[in-house]
Amino acid sequence: MTARIDHDALFIDGGWTPPRTDGRTSVVSPLTEQEIGSFPTSTDADVDAAVSSARAALRRDDWAGLTPETRARLVRRFADELEKRAEERATTVTRQNGMPVELARFAEGAAPVQLLRYYADLAESTPLEERRASQPMPGTTIVRREPVGVVAAIAPWNFPAVLSMFKIAPALAAGCTVVLKPSPETTLDSYVLAEAAIAAELPAGVINIVTGGPDVGQYLVAHPGVDKVAFTGSTAAGRHIGRVCGELLRPATLELGGKSAALVLDDADVERTVTGLSTASLLNSGQTCYMSTRILVPRSQSRAYVDAITAMASSLPVGDPMDPATFIGPMVSAAQRDRVLSLIDQGRAEGGTITTGGGRVNGVGYFVQPTVFADVDNASTIARQEVFGPVLSVIAYDDVDDAVALANDSEYGLGGTVWTSDEERGIGVARRVETGSFGVNTFNLDWGSPFGGVKASGLGRELGPEGLAAYQQLKSIFLAS
C-alpha cells in the first residue's frame, strides 16, 4: 500500500504505447500529502492515435462483425478479469482520492464488474431489429438499433472506476468503441482496467485510455472522429461540453452537479432517519453528486433534528481511508479542501450557525471536519452551491407544500430523499420533487433503472435499458410489403 505506482506508457490500440512527449502528471496522496505515483500526460497526437484506433476497431470484423451473444461473452470475460483485480483497483482508488476503503471495495471494485455483467445480459436480450406495421400506408418498417460509434468517455475523480463503467459497459454492449479520459487525480486505477482488457483479449482499439487535464478533455470532446460524448463532472464543464456538442450536432450524456434535498416529514422516526442520512448525505465524505445535503425538517421539530444530526455527524469516524472503520476520509486535494472551507466560511458569514465542525482536522492530510449548519436560509450560498464535502444544512419548513417548494427552489435536480413512516405518503412527495432520481427512506442506485438529472444537473440517462439505448442510434428501413 505504500509502493509508488509509476507508468511510462499509454493504453492505445490494445497495448502499451509510448507517449509523444516527456510530460508527466504526478499523483499526490490526500492522506499523506506526498507523491504516490505518476503517469505520462497525453498530447493531441496521442488523442488522435486513440481516436483513430477506436474508429478502426469500429469497422473490423473482430468487433463490428460479432453477434450480440458473442460480444456479450467477451464482455463477461472482461468482467472476470476485472474481478480478479477488484481489490487492487479499489485500494488504488483509495490511495488517490481518499475514498473510505470499505466503500471503495464495493463501488470501485465490485460494482464495475456487476455493471459489465448486467449489460452483457441486456445485450443478449435486446433485439437489434423489430418489424412494425407501417402507418398510414400499408407495409412494414424495420426499426434497427446500431452502435452510435466512437465514444469519448470522461470520468470524474470521486468515483472513477464505477462512473467510467457507467459509460464503458453499455457502450461495449451496444458495439461501440471507447476513448476513456480519466481525471488526473485518479488515473492510476485506469491502468488496472487496461490490464484487464489485455488479459480478456478485447480486440485492439475497443478501449483506449488517454490522460491529462481539461485541455486534453477539450480536444477529445471536439475531435472530428468522436461520435458521442459521455461526461460526469461539474455543471460548468458540462455546459461547455454541451455547447461544443450542440455546435457539432453530436449526442452527449451529461451527468452533472447536484444540491439535493432530504425532506423529513413530521411522521418520520428521528433515530432511523438520522442514521439513514449518514449515508444519504455524507457518503464518500460528501464527495458524491446526489447527496441530500439540504436537510428540510418540520419547524416544530427543528431543534430535535439539529441536535440529532449534529450528534450523528460529530460521531462519524474521521481518519485514514485505508482503515475499514473510517467513514470520513480526506478531500481529494488541497484545492478541494480549501474550496470546501471557503464555502463554510461563507455560510458562517451569511448567518448560518455551525453546530459541529467548521474547520480542518489538525495534522497531515486534506481533511475537513464533518460540519452541520443550522439557521440556514434556502437562499444562502451554503444552500445553493454544491459544496462536495462533509457539510450539511438544516432548513426548517412550515408544511409539506413548503418543503416541496424549498426542495424545488434550486437550479439542480439530480437526487433527493424523503423520510417518513408512511411509504405511500413518501411516494406522493417523491412525485412532486423536480429531480431525476429520488429515494423513499433510502437512496440506492439501481443498475436496472435510469439515473441522471434535470435542470443544471445534466442531460440524458445512464444505467438500465435507457443507458444502453444512449449508445445506440435508430435506423428505419421501409418495406413495401
Side-chain angles (χ1 to χ4, degrees):
M1 295 304 152
T2 59
R4 282 185 60 96
I5 305 174
D6 293 292
H7 294 283
D8 297 317
L10 301 171
F11 183 65
I12 296 174
D13 202 31
W16 301 115
T17 302
R20 269 72 166 177
T21 178
D22 294 333
R24 298 189 66 79
T25 301
S26 297
V27 179
V28 174
S29 164
L31 176 67
T32 66
E33 303 184 35
Q34 300 297 311
E35 188 175 312
I36 59 171
S38 66
F39 53 88
T41 306
S42 297
T43 64
D44 291 355
D46 294 315
V47 176
D48 290 342
V51 173
S52 177
S53 172
R55 291 219 69 81
L58 195 64
R59 297 187 293 266
R60 284 201 316 268
D61 284 346
D62 63 352
W63 183 248
L66 300 182
T67 65
E69 293 76 18
T70 303
R71 188 181 304 116
R73 286 197 294 272
L74 192 55
V75 170
R76 290 191 188 97
R77 195 164 71 204
F78 183 30
D80 292 344
E81 292 297 334
L82 206 55
E83 187 172 38
K84 297 174 185 176
R85 297 160 175 82
E87 178 70 7
E88 179 187 2
R89 195 171 192 200
T91 55
T92 301
V93 169
T94 293
R95 293 185 66 191
Q96 294 174 106
N97 71 2
M99 180 185 293
V101 71
E102 287 301 288
L103 173 61
R105 285 183 171 128
F106 170 71
E108 304 296 275
V113 175
Q114 294 174 1
L115 279 164
L116 282 169
R117 291 172 177 159
Y118 168 78
Y119 277 105
D121 291 346
L122 198 60
E124 285 184 324
S125 62
T126 303
L128 293 182
E129 295 183 349
E130 62 174 293
R131 289 178 176 247
R132 301 179 185 177
S134 300
Q135 302 291 334
M137 303 299 291
T140 301
T141 297
I142 299 173
V143 179
R144 178 173 172 79
R145 297 175 179 86
E146 298 180 345
V148 72
V150 175
V151 176
I154 303 177
W157 50 257
N158 61 327
F159 286 88
V162 71
L163 291 177
S164 295
M165 200 55 72
F166 275 25
K167 300 151 184 56
I168 294 170
L172 297 189
C176 298
T177 58
V178 177
V179 179
L180 170 68
K181 196 209 80 70
S183 174
E185 292 87 352
T186 49
T187 292
L188 299 178
D189 64 285
S190 68
Y191 282 83
V192 182
L193 177 76
E195 291 164 0
I198 292 171
E201 298 181 338
L202 289 186
V206 169
I207 295 178
N208 308 270
I209 303 174
V210 296
T211 61
D215 56 333
V216 176
Q218 290 172 15
Y219 185 76
L220 176 61
V221 164
H223 200 285
V226 166
D227 299 300
K228 174 187 169 66
V229 175
F231 171 79
T232 299
S234 72
T235 295
R239 291 186 193 279
H240 174 76
I241 292 170
R243 285 191 291 269
V244 172
C245 289
E247 179 65 27
L248 295 171
L249 299 179
R250 177 173 296 168
T253 300
L254 307 174
E255 196 267 278
L256 309 177
K259 190 67 181 179
S260 303
L263 291 79
V264 181
L265 303 190
D266 55 9
D267 63 350
D269 178 88
V270 175
E271 182 178 354
R272 291 177 61 187
T273 296
V274 172
T275 298
L277 286 173
S278 65
T279 299
S281 301
L282 290 168
L283 187 73
N284 197 22
S285 311
Q287 298 177 125
T288 307
C289 53
Y290 57 74
M291 291 288 88
S292 294
T293 54
R294 291 184 294 147
I295 315 298
L296 311 183
V297 302
R299 195 173 303 279
S300 61
Q301 299 174 280
S302 61
R303 187 72 261 164
Y305 273 106
V306 167
D307 291 345
I309 293 167
T310 298
M312 176 271 289
S314 62
S315 70
L316 296 175
V318 179
D320 183 348
M322 292 303 300
D323 182 345
T326 293
F327 191 89
I328 301 290
M331 301 293 93
V332 68
S333 64
Q336 179 65 12
R337 176 202 60 197
D338 293 346
R339 178 183 177 276
V340 172
L341 291 173
S342 176
L343 285 167
I344 290 173
D345 289 343
Q346 196 163 353
R348 184 189 290 112
E350 293 179 4
T353 301
I354 294 177
T355 62
T356 188
R360 297 177 57 170
V361 175
N362 292 331
V364 177
Y366 305 137
F367 289 95
V368 173
Q369 296 169 334
T371 301
V372 176
F373 277 91
D375 306 317
V376 175
D377 188 294
N378 199 55
S380 66
T381 301
I382 203 73
R384 309 299 291 183
Q385 288 195 22
E386 183 178 37
V387 177
F388 229 59
V391 180
L392 306 180
S393 298
V394 183
I395 302 171
Y397 68 82
D398 296 318
D399 56 27
V400 173
D401 289 343
D402 184 35
V404 171
L406 287 169
N408 289 337
D409 183 18
S410 171
E411 69 169 318
Y412 297 106
L414 183 60
T417 52
V418 62
W419 304 83
T420 175
S421 61
D422 183 342
E423 186 175 85
E424 287 303 314
R425 187 184 182 203
I427 293 171
V429 169
R431 290 181 175 128
R432 298 175 62 189
V433 178
E434 299 164 356
T435 185
S437 60
F438 205 81
V440 179
N441 296 321
T442 188
F443 193 99
N444 291 310
L445 294 187
D446 170 14
W447 301 158
S449 300
F451 173 72
V454 300
K455 300 191 282 189
S457 289
L459 297 170
R461 294 294 181 267
E462 297 183 302
L463 303 181
E466 295 79 5
L468 177 62
Y471 294 89
Q472 296 171 323
Q473 54 191 359
L474 299 176
K475 176 188 291 182
S476 293
I477 303 172
F478 308 116
L479 307 179
S481 59

